[in-house]
Amino acid sequence: METYDALLDSITPASGPTRTIKDPATGETVGQAPAHSVADLEAAISAAAAAQPAWAALSHEARTEMLLKAAEAIDRSAEELAILLSREQGKPLNGPNARFEVGACSAWLRAAATTVLEPETVADDGETFAQVHYRPIGVVGAIGPWNWPMMITIWQIAPALRMGNAVVVKPSEYTPLSVLALVHVLNQELPDGLLTAVCGDGEVGSRMVEHEAIGKIMFTGSTATGKAIIKSSADSIKRLTLELGGNDAGIVLPDADPKAIAEGLFWGAFINTGQTCAALKRLYVHEDIYDEVCEALTAVAEAMPMGVGLDEANVLGPLQNKAQFDIVARLVDAAKESGARVLIGGNPDADQVGYFYPTTLIADVDNKNPLVAEEQFGPALPIIRYSTVDEAIAMANDLEVGLGASVWSSDVDAARKVASRIEAGTVWINKHGAVDPRVPFGGIKQSGYGLEFGVEGLKGVAVPQVING
Ligand code: NDP
């Protein structure tokens, strides 16, 4: 186990160009990240390609054992990793935030390490014997975002390593230190060269996508970048898993109990201060219980402290960066200008230090308003009134994205029927965003394609090979 300072030292470059990373809550310097070049990327890919055959040649059991040791290494450094994550990303240590994210990293790594993917026998009739085997791809590229930088990196790399691949990671320029620290800790247990983080800019990312020696890109980020990746991966016919975020709808049916669901609705929307791909971003509430739901949700929101992440009292933090703060401010202003009713928040302090946007609930907002139609990716939730379930489903399905959704009701069977009519990769009942390492997760429509987690997730980082005969 390293102290926090030793961990930071171990990822601070001794030479070469660097970028200063600031705490989004305080503006203080967190550390220096290397500004890697395309030459650094080439070196990482060469090392990965050299390390991968020996890793792939190990038995599944041997790889599982090493990955379980790597999960233990995360646990040993959990508090130091959580402090760095909190300082760089902004999310509080407490609540479903930094400690929770680091805990999820070792949990997901253990799950990927121990999930079994056997060859599938697809024909066995005495004449034909055919099996699908899942082989390593080779080198996988993992490109990640800044909202859950450690956890999403693990989601990408754990199944890839489990299946016998090497991985080169390209973190977001906003949160490179968290990913470098995670990779450093994992590498205490993994063979040299197998896993490397390259902290470059968009040029490094796009070169990675074009690179012939990389067989697959795991990407989580914006739809616009996802489209660029599809185009630039075309020449090498690269495999892609694209998790492109969404604008998740929640539908509250008229028989739901407002007080009983209020806390679940709150965290469904505001986990990580709303900076979550599969968070509740538009809430449709039946007119019969609209006022009660608004009231109950406002009471929960009022009780949730926001502030600097290292203060244990806080459960909500700042936006991670100025660009995201500006998006949230623009969209809330658009709703206010349209005459929508502010239940709480909507008034950031112009003189504050840090990118804090207050927890905001906006009622009586039109479904076409930009706050509803665009992904706000921050602590602002529009609440839309509806009269019939058909109307609510039509509004939920009206957008081009389809990552998650949720239905809230006292009658689970009725909720499941509504769920089957919603265009989203996952529809939760009486919860939102509850991901599970055993359960496949992925988007439809412009939220991307490919599944992560569980057996399906392992298949996504392998090449199928049929042996027939
Ligand atoms: P981006 O999609 O721009 O960035 C995600 C990652 O892709 C970063 O590592 C980025 O690197 C990299 N990247 C950028 N351009 C390319 C390229 N041409 N080829 C390969 N990789 C590239 O997301 P942003 O951080 O700009 O966030 C913008 C919006 O995306 C947010 O407002 C939010 O709506 C959404 N988002 C969704 C997330 C999700 O979980 N699905 C997470 C984060 C954001 P670099 O940092 O160097 O630019």
Side-chain angles (χ1 to χ4, degrees):
M1 195 195 91
E2 291 164 300
T3 61
Y4 175 80
D5 288 343
L7 180 66
L8 196 55
D9 277 355
S10 64
I11 58 168
T12 303
S15 60
T18 57
R19 281 189 322 109
T20 301
I21 302 295
K22 305 264 189 192
D23 183 332
T26 62
E28 289 166 8
T29 295
V30 180
Q32 302 295 324
H36 286 137
S37 63
V38 170
D40 295 311
L41 173 71
E42 293 290 349
I45 294 173
S46 297
Q52 190 267 336
W55 177 247
L58 293 175
S59 64
H60 281 299
E61 292 71 24
R63 285 200 297 270
T64 295
E65 201 178 312
M66 290 179 84
L67 292 172
L68 290 177
K69 283 193 180 147
E72 279 168 32
I74 296 176
D75 289 343
R76 279 198 301 275
S77 293
E79 188 65 8
E80 294 71 28
L81 288 169
I83 292 168
L84 181 59
L85 175 62
S86 176
R87 294 203 61 200
E88 184 183 52
Q89 204 285 334
K91 65 183 70 190
L93 279 173
N94 211 342
N97 293 298
R99 289 192 186 105
F100 167 85
E101 180 168 349
V102 175
C105 287
S106 53
W108 248 270
L109 181 51
R110 285 194 173 93
T114 53
T115 299
V116 175
L117 173 57
E118 300 285 4
E120 294 166 356
T121 303
V122 289
D124 184 9
D125 60 6
E127 263 179 50
T128 303
F129 181 74
Q131 280 192 318
V132 184
H133 294 253
Y134 291 91
R135 312 289 189 206
I137 294 171
V139 182
V140 169
I143 303 179
W146 45 260
N147 55 342
W148 293 90
M150 289 187 185
M151 187 173 75
I152 290 175
T153 298
I154 281 285
W155 289 358
Q156 297 174 331
I157 68 179
L161 293 170
R162 164 73 180 80
M163 291 308 292
N165 303 290
V167 187
V168 179
V169 182
K170 153 75 182 83
S172 164
E173 282 177 84
Y174 291 117
T175 50
L177 300 176
S178 300
V179 175
L180 282 169
L182 178 70
V183 166
H184 164 77
V185 167
L186 294 169
N187 275 332
Q188 291 167 357
E189 302 294 343
L190 295 176
D192 285 351
L194 191 69
L195 173 66
T196 310
V198 179
C199 302
D201 56 12
E203 194 197 340
V204 171
S206 56
R207 180 67 195 121
M208 182 190 247
V209 176
E210 290 162 2
H211 207 287
E212 300 74 24
I214 290 190
K216 163 114 196 183
I217 294 288
M218 302 287 290
F219 173 74
T220 298
S222 64
T223 299
T225 304
K227 288 179 183 176
I229 286 175
I230 293 170
K231 287 182 188 141
S232 53
S233 66
D235 282 343
S236 54
I237 318 279
K238 219 173 250 40
R239 287 161 188 274
L240 302 174
T241 292
L242 302 174
E243 204 274 74
L244 306 180
N247 193 345
D248 290 10
I251 298 179
V252 180
L253 298 182
D255 69 347
D257 174 348
K259 285 208 173 95
I261 64 172
E263 192 156 343
L265 287 174
F266 179 83
W267 284 115
F270 291 93
I271 186 167
N272 202 28
T273 316
Q275 303 162 106
T276 299
C277 44
L280 176 48
K281 295 182 181 128
R282 327 172 255 153
L283 184 61
Y284 297 93
V285 181
H286 191 269
E287 58 192 5
D288 286 356
I289 55 167
Y290 187 84
D291 292 335
E292 289 93 321
V293 170
C294 287
E295 215 172 280
L297 203 43
T298 305
V300 175
E302 277 167 347
M304 296 296 177
M306 178 184 284
V308 174
L310 296 186
D311 181 339
E312 298 277 353
N314 296 322
V315 292
L316 298 167
L319 273 312
Q320 202 285 327
N321 53 75
K322 172 78 165 59
Q324 197 60 50
F325 180 94
D326 290 345
I327 291 172
V328 176
R330 172 176 65 79
L331 293 175
V332 173
D333 287 350
K336 282 161 63 178
E337 279 157 24
S338 76
R341 186 160 53 99
V342 179
L343 299 175
I344 183 173
N347 55 343
D349 175 358
D351 299 327
Q352 70 187 343
V353 177
Y355 305 127
F356 290 99
Y357 197 95
T359 307
T360 300
L361 295 169
I362 305 273
D364 299 333
V365 57
D366 186 85
N367 195 49
K368 298 283 180 206
N369 190 278
L371 180 63
V372 183
E374 294 177 36
E375 183 189 30
Q376 73 276 40
F377 217 69
L381 181 67
I383 310 173
I384 305 104
R385 195 188 297 261
Y386 74 86
S387 306
T388 68
V389 172
D390 284 350
E391 184 197 350
I393 293 170
M395 289 193 285
N397 290 342
D398 197 31
L399 299 182
E400 292 190 322
V401 284
L403 186 58
S406 55
V407 183
W408 303 73
S409 170
S410 302
D411 179 345
V412 171
D413 288 335
R416 286 187 184 135
K417 283 196 187 115
V418 173
S420 69
R421 299 172 61 199
I422 299 179
E423 295 165 1
T426 301
V427 185
W428 288 279
I429 311 287
N430 292 327
K431 55 191 177 182
H432 197 115
V435 287
D436 180 317
R438 299 164 301 180
V439 181
F441 174 68
I444 61 171
K445 298 166 87 175
Q446 293 204 10
S447 290
Y449 47 75
L451 288 170
E452 298 183 85
F453 314 162
V455 174
E456 293 305 320
L458 295 186
K459 289 182 184 175
V461 281
V463 275
Q465 182 191 39
V466 176
I467 306 278
N468 189 338

